[in-house]
Amino acid sequence: KQEVTQIPAALSVPEGENLVLNCSFTDSAIYNLQWFRQDPGKGLTSLLLIQSSQREQTSGRLNASLDKSSGRSTLYIAASQPGDSATYLCAVEGGSYIPTFGRGTSLIVHP
Amino acid sequence: DAGVTQSPTHLIKTRGQQVTLRCSPKSGHDTVSWYQQALGQGPQFIFQYYEEEERQRGNFPDRFSGHQFPNYSSELNVNALLLGDSALYLCASSSGPDQTQYFGPGTRLTVL
């Protein structure tokens, strides 16, 4: 059974810092890994999707990497802003096509 | 493009009642997935519908059932509600080779 762990569970940083959020998974036989953002009480917004054959994806200030062999992904946020405050979730999709989510990292960026 | 829409936004029910939640997928999407998200947890996959058939199902009891209509919209039905069914119910749509899932704003269900 796939298990997804996200570290840290919570993070509070001053504006302007570069951040790294971590996601690890137990079964490396995956099709893709997706990073999402969730604002309080809201739905999820897709940030980046990495196919199993890819090593990384970039969008603006966001960069996500994938290392299947070690079962890890990182989300790098450059020059953080207060508007980045949200919960960040990673989800792994394996052979069953059923996505497994982590519990998320709650990020607060203060001015 | 309205994106994924869900109704209602909030719902309060009592134990033992039944509830129906609705989802309209993003324009052009033919696949709808439903998730349950308890407070402080990641979403848990309930099931996925494609071409009006349940294609995949997560570890949820038969009290949870669904339907997809010819216009690709979908319903989630939950019978014999329990206190533990209180959660945010999320719908996501996708299509074809683009595996990106687009989520709706969710329905907050409270069971008293």
Side-chain angles (χ1 to χ4, degrees):
Chain A
K1 177 189 170 187
Q2 178 76 270
E3 293 183 5
V4 179
T5 303
Q6 291 189 245
I7 294 173
L11 191 58
S12 180
V13 300
E15 182 177 7
E17 280 205 2
N18 299 323
L19 308 172
V20 175
L21 308 183
N22 297 292
C23 172
S24 62
F25 46 95
T26 54
D27 186 349
S28 61
I30 66 169
Y31 285 117
N32 63 56
L33 183 145
Q34 196 164 355
W35 283 94
F36 294 89
R37 169 191 172 128
Q38 186 174 31
D39 293 291
K42 306 291 185 182
L44 279 63
T45 300
S46 177
L47 299 173
L48 292 164
L49 182 145
I50 310 176
Q51 304 285 1
S52 61
S53 58
Q54 298 174 322
R55 296 283 296 188
E56 65 177 345
Q57 284 283 351
T58 298
S59 176
R61 296 183 292 110
L62 305 179
N63 174 276
S65 66
L66 174 64
D67 183 344
K68 274 179 50 178
S69 61
S70 66
R72 294 173 189 268
S73 176
T74 60
L75 178 66
Y76 177 82
I77 304 175
S80 59
Q81 303 171 358
D84 295 330
S85 299
T87 296
Y88 290 81
L89 295 148
C90 74
V92 172
E93 188 167 310
S96 65
Y97 297 99
I98 293 177
T100 302
F101 281 80
R103 296 175 69 167
T105 293
S106 177
L107 172 65
I108 297 176
V109 181
H110 48 88
Chain B
D1 183 3
V4 180
T5 60
Q6 293 186 242
S7 63
T9 55
H10 295 85
L11 204 50
I12 298 175
K13 292 285 187 179
T14 56
R15 281 179 296 174
Q17 285 189 311
Q18 178 264 343
V19 69
T20 298
L21 310 182
R22 295 176 177 81
C23 171
S24 292
K26 184 177 169 67
S27 178
H29 285 187
D30 56 11
T31 303
V32 173
S33 302
W34 286 92
Y35 296 82
Q36 180 194 67
Q37 187 178 23
L39 204 60
Q41 305 289 322
Q44 298 283 320
F45 178 83
I46 303 175
F47 42 54
Q48 181 181 85
Y49 277 85
Y50 171 71
E51 292 190 343
E52 302 180 53
E53 296 287 331
E54 184 182 287
R55 183 159 70 173
Q56 290 286 344
R57 188 179 182 93
N59 188 26
F60 279 80
D62 292 344
R63 298 187 296 110
F64 289 78
S65 63
H67 188 78
Q68 186 178 35
F69 298 94
N71 66 353
Y72 306 120
S73 67
S74 177
E75 289 182 349
L76 164 65
N77 300 292
V78 187
N79 294 322
L81 285 167
L82 304 173
L83 296 179
D85 295 332
S86 295
L88 180 68
Y89 287 84
L90 296 163
C91 167
S93 72
S94 58
S95 181
D98 179 6
Q99 297 163 29
T100 302
Q101 292 200 69
Y102 295 83
F103 281 77
T107 293
R108 172 71 62 186
L109 172 64
T110 302
V111 182
L112 303 176

